[in-house]
Amino acid sequence: MRFSIRQWFSTTASRIQTALNPPAQEGELDLQEIVIFYNLVFDIGKLVNPIQAARKLLAKDFAYAATNYPADTIEIAPRFKSVRNDYEQAIYYAVLSSYWEQHKWKDMLLYALAHPKRSSRLLSTVRIKISKEQSSAGERANPKKTLKDLKEALQSVDHIMANLQRFTALQLYSDQQLFSPLYLREAAFMRVGLQPFLATIDGEELKVNVSLLIHRAGVAVLTFGVSFKKTRTVDTLLQLKVLEDIGVSRFEIPKILVDLPATAHILKQYGITPTAKHSKGGIEWYTYEPSQPVEFLFLFHLYKDAILVAINGRKALRNDGDTFTWLRTSDWLAYPIMFIRETSPEYPTDAALKKHRAPELSGLVLGTNHWREIKPEKIPEVIVNDLAPTSDYSFYLGESHTTVIYHHDHLTRLEQQFGENIPDHEWLFQHFQASVIVEAALIQQWILHILDCELKALPHNLTKLNHLKQNLIVALDEYHNILFSHGTAQDILKSGQKTMQIHERYEGVMQKLGRVEKLIEVKESQQLFRRNLFFNFVILLLTLIAGLPGAQQIVTIVDSWKIIHLNTLIATQVLYLSILILVIISILWQLLPTKGKKLIASFDHSSTAMKKHFTWHKPVRFTSVHKKSS
């Protein structure tokens, strides 16, 4: 950490001056450099293997990368394999060109023989080039210039692929810093990077980063990350909190999102048609400029429907535009996390902000535009629930949203560490460290909500009841298994559970689980009664048969009745086999409950993670600054 004595003196003097002469409370509090993570939590419809679900998404054009925690890699969409093949072919050509320039003919020949497929491809390319040069009088290519251009092209590809992995790699690093290694090794969840899109909100054209968290309990968290450059007040910021209240006047999205039948039906119904079409990065994009702004929530549903179809298959989607009725619940939860990087006036610590801007802070925490009407004696009760462990930022986790405010001391520390131009990935890492804890609470809340919805409509079939009980056991295990490596994160999660009333939901589900147990007992007793009745009937039949001299005598007696003509040998064999089959069936039926040794559900998906998957040969890695400096 390098900074001059002048910088230290300036910083210290500024803090002393701020403490002695606090900013005047006249005027509004300006909020700058605002980043909002809009989260949409929804049901996938069933318990899933997160790795398999992520790979299904990577096969689609709207996904590009995914985290693989057990393998500690970033999986890349298969469509980039052609880029890698061209990249490797270019490297092969560059090596041969280098040998050619150095006149190392033997090394060149050995290298070409070691790569026969690439050599044949290169020869075919050379033939095509020669035929074109013969048909046109062009200038002869300069080998040195060609090699230089080739190296620049390879560097450009590496740069593009590094940027492609950067966002997902940072999420991987952030999760590894917080979550328990044992929990990550189970592949309990996966993060998938989805195609970002452009949207115009309040006259500001914004790039929206999109990511998806898939949890094995069948819960997904779709996140839109938006960075607002305009300065906002408390009132104007709160207007950006509710998705239904945010109007989008123009947006540019991948074509694959609107190819679904239900989505096409909705667009046709509202008369929304693309105004422009273009191709970028091998993907078709549509630009829309509707006559009336659409809700920001509408774009969430475009991604959500495409995700559900990719994971569950196209047959799960109805053509009439109706919702997915086969889901365990069609409910969804919108939950924003608001990050405020700077305020004006500046306040060094949380104590200074609470002292001089308590009403505005209470409005941000409660998420209400009527913060001016809050009783003064109630304000301290609102702003006291700051979960941040240090004084340089504030962390308020609420039932409807989370607010994180970074104070001037935090900004000063980053500037001392990185200079005035703080890297964007450093800010994102700070945001991820906070949002991960909130996501854990949201997943727990939604798991319990899904279970509560399932328990409201209990099936009468024993198999379905046992399947429901299985899902309950797995999901409740997830409720207890989300563990963090750091005690501070675990404490914040516990506070979030209390705020979101997760414990109350858990107790309610446990009570209903007792009812499911009673229903299963009743159904099992009814089934056992029918089995015993059948078994008793078989025993009675066998008793009657055992009381006779034998099957042959039975046939002889029946034959003596002269009702039908019987072949004594065949009739005796048929009767014997029938009795034997009845005895075998009754015995097997009695043994059926003891044969159910198949694993009901797997808690550990790490074996799937280690299977062959596509990665880039130059992965992006994030490391701690302290480790690097040491």
Side-chain angles (χ1 to χ4, degrees):
M1 188 181 296
R2 300 178 180 176
F3 57 96
S4 62
I5 296 177
R6 178 181 293 181
Q7 287 178 324
W8 174 84
F9 179 80
S10 176
T11 303
T12 305
S14 175
R15 292 181 58 181
I16 294 174
Q17 185 177 2
T18 303
L20 294 176
N21 302 309
Q25 297 192 39
E26 298 84 40
E28 293 192 77
L29 178 67
D30 291 332
L31 310 174
Q32 302 166 350
E33 296 293 328
I34 298 168
V35 176
I36 302 180
F37 287 1
Y38 295 98
N39 299 286
L40 189 77
V41 191
F42 58 94
D43 175 37
I44 297 178
K46 59 183 180 181
L47 301 179
V48 296
N49 183 326
I51 300 172
Q52 293 178 350
R55 289 173 182 171
K56 289 180 180 179
L57 288 170
L58 289 177
K60 305 297 181 181
D61 285 348
F62 62 87
Y64 61 87
T67 57
N68 188 327
Y69 297 100
D72 192 22
T73 57
I74 301 296
E75 296 193 21
I76 305 296
R79 66 177 180 274
F80 292 104
K81 287 184 178 180
S82 60
V83 178
R84 186 183 64 179
N85 292 336
D86 294 339
Y87 183 93
E88 292 175 352
Q89 184 70 20
I91 291 177
Y92 171 78
Y93 178 74
V95 173
L96 288 183
S97 300
S98 177
Y99 286 146
W100 179 280
E101 287 184 1
Q102 299 174 29
H103 304 290
K104 295 182 178 180
W105 315 116
K106 182 180 178 181
D107 292 337
M108 178 178 173
L109 179 61
L110 291 175
Y111 188 78
L113 292 176
H115 302 83
K117 291 184 179 180
R118 302 198 182 280
S119 300
S120 61
R121 188 183 301 177
L122 180 62
L123 287 175
S124 62
T125 305
V126 170
R127 291 194 197 100
I128 295 173
K129 186 175 180 180
I130 291 174
S131 62
K132 288 184 177 179
E133 287 181 353
Q134 289 176 350
S135 60
S136 61
E139 293 184 359
R140 192 173 181 179
N142 186 350
K144 292 185 178 180
K145 185 177 183 300
T146 302
L147 182 60
K148 181 181 178 182
D149 293 342
L150 189 59
K151 289 181 179 180
E152 291 178 354
L154 290 174
Q155 292 175 355
S156 176
V157 172
D158 281 335
H159 179 70
I160 293 172
M161 296 305 296
N163 286 335
L164 185 74
Q165 301 176 74
R166 187 175 67 94
F167 190 80
T168 311
L170 186 59
Q171 288 180 317
L172 174 66
Y173 174 72
S174 175
D175 290 338
Q176 289 173 337
Q177 297 302 305
L178 275 183
F179 281 104
S180 164
L182 295 176
Y183 183 70
L184 290 179
R185 200 172 299 141
E186 294 178 359
F189 65 93
M190 286 275 282
R191 295 187 186 274
V192 184
L194 306 182
Q195 286 290 347
F197 65 93
L198 297 177
T200 302
I201 300 174
D202 193 21
E204 186 177 359
E205 187 176 59
L206 304 167
K207 179 184 178 181
V208 182
N209 291 305
V210 187
S211 65
L212 176 71
L213 185 150
I214 306 172
H215 196 272
R216 62 186 173 187
V219 177
V221 182
L222 179 63
T223 303
F224 283 6
V226 187
S227 177
F228 296 92
K229 298 303 180 183
K230 288 184 177 180
T231 300
R232 308 273 175 172
T233 63
V234 174
D235 293 323
T236 55
L237 176 58
L238 292 177
Q239 292 174 1
L240 299 174
K241 186 174 78 72
V242 183
L243 292 176
E244 295 91 328
D245 295 341
I246 302 174
V248 181
S249 58
R250 183 182 181 276
F251 55 95
E252 181 182 302
I253 57 175
K255 174 181 177 293
I256 190 174
L257 297 179
V258 299
D259 283 343
L260 304 177
T263 304
H265 176 82
I266 295 174
L267 292 174
K268 182 178 179 181
Q269 183 179 359
Y270 288 96
I272 301 176
T273 56
T275 56
K277 304 177 183 179
H278 69 279
S279 179
K280 181 174 62 176
I283 299 173
E284 290 189 70
W285 294 79
Y286 280 0
T287 301
Y288 292 87
E289 297 181 10
S291 56
Q292 295 292 331
V294 300
E295 296 177 358
F296 199 30
L297 180 64
F298 172 73
L299 300 178
F300 268 98
H301 284 297
L302 292 183
Y303 276 88
K304 179 175 74 72
D305 292 352
I307 291 165
L308 290 174
V309 173
I311 295 176
N312 295 283
R314 183 172 290 274
K315 62 181 181 180
L317 187 62
R318 298 178 60 177
N319 295 325
D320 55 2
D322 289 343
T323 186
F324 297 85
T325 55
W326 48 269
L327 292 173
R328 293 172 294 181
T329 174
S330 58
D331 298 337
W332 47 265
L333 171 67
Y335 190 97
I337 306 175
M338 301 185 295
F339 299 96
I340 304 170
R341 297 179 180 178
E342 296 182 36
T343 63
S344 180
E346 298 171 343
Y347 295 94
T349 62
D350 60 330
L353 181 67
K354 293 172 185 176
K355 179 179 180 181
H356 301 290
R357 295 290 181 172
E360 291 93 333
L361 183 58
S362 64
L364 290 172
V365 174
L366 295 176
T368 174
N369 286 316
H370 303 288
W371 53 271
R372 296 177 180 84
E373 303 170 9
I374 300 176
K375 296 179 180 179
E377 61 270 16
K378 294 293 182 180
I379 292 178
E381 299 177 9
V382 176
I383 63 177
V384 74
N385 298 318
D386 188 353
L387 304 179
T390 59
S391 62
D392 59 348
Y393 77 104
S394 298
F395 189 144
Y396 291 96
L397 198 160
E399 191 171 358
S400 63
H401 69 287
T402 291
T403 305
V404 181
I405 305 174
Y406 299 97
H407 306 302
H408 189 62
D409 278 4
H410 187 88
L411 181 63
T412 302
R413 179 175 60 81
L414 292 178
E415 288 179 346
Q416 291 173 352
Q417 190 172 3
F418 300 101
E420 293 185 0
N421 297 322
I422 302 171
D424 188 54
H425 61 75
E426 179 63 29
W427 277 116
L428 283 177
F429 175 74
Q430 305 281 341
H431 301 339
F432 288 156
Q433 292 283 284
S435 64
V436 162
I437 303 173
V438 179
E439 287 172 344
L442 291 175
I443 289 171
Q444 289 185 352
Q445 181 187 31
W446 213 244
I447 286 173
L448 296 173
H449 175 73
I450 291 173
L451 295 179
D452 188 58
C453 291
E454 288 187 296
L455 290 171
K456 288 178 181 178
L458 293 175
H460 296 284
N461 183 280
L462 181 60
T463 304
K464 292 182 178 179
L465 279 172
N466 279 314
H467 180 70
L468 175 59
K469 180 182 176 182
Q470 165 197 322
N471 291 348
L472 285 169
I473 293 172
V474 173
L476 291 175
D477 184 76
E478 293 297 332
Y479 169 76
H480 293 288
N481 266 351
I482 297 184
L483 301 175
F484 294 107
S485 297
H486 301 286
T488 304
Q490 195 69 30
D491 293 339
I492 296 175
L493 178 60
K494 290 180 180 178
S495 300
Q497 290 174 341
K498 182 179 179 181
T499 302
M500 297 181 177
Q501 300 180 350
I502 294 177
H503 292 302
E504 288 77 3
R505 288 176 179 265
Y506 174 76
E507 294 298 330
V509 169
M510 290 301 296
Q511 291 179 2
K512 293 180 180 180
L513 181 59
R515 302 175 193 171
V516 174
E517 293 280 1
K518 294 294 184 183
L519 284 175
I520 290 176
E521 289 178 6
V522 171
K523 289 296 180 180
E524 286 180 343
S525 63
Q526 292 174 352
Q527 192 177 73
L528 184 60
F529 171 76
R530 288 192 293 268
R531 288 186 181 184
N532 290 337
L533 184 64
F534 177 80
F535 182 72
N536 293 333
F537 172 76
V538 173
I539 295 297
L540 178 62
L541 183 60
L542 291 176
T543 303
L544 291 173
I545 294 173
L548 297 175
Q552 189 173 6
Q553 293 181 4
I554 296 175
V555 173
T556 303
I557 293 172
V558 173
D559 186 55
S560 65
W561 294 344
K562 304 297 182 179
I563 300 175
I564 55 175
H565 178 69
L566 295 174
N567 186 317
T568 306
L569 181 61
I570 296 176
T572 303
Q573 292 176 350
V574 170
L575 181 60
Y576 174 75
L577 289 174
S578 301
I579 296 171
L580 186 62
I581 290 171
L582 284 174
V583 173
I584 292 174
I585 290 175
S586 64
I587 294 174
L588 290 177
W589 202 344
Q590 293 295 318
L591 294 177
L592 274 178
T594 65
K595 296 296 182 181
K597 297 180 180 179
K598 183 180 178 182
L599 185 64
I600 295 176
S602 175
F603 293 89
D604 191 348
H605 300 294
S606 59
S607 59
T608 309
M610 303 310 294
K611 292 182 179 179
K612 185 178 180 180
H613 54 272
F614 178 51
T615 60
W616 194 250
H617 67 285
K618 292 186 178 180
V620 175
R621 296 283 183 184
F622 284 88
T623 58
S624 171
V625 175
H626 302 290
K627 291 182 180 179
K628 187 176 180 181
S629 60
S630 62

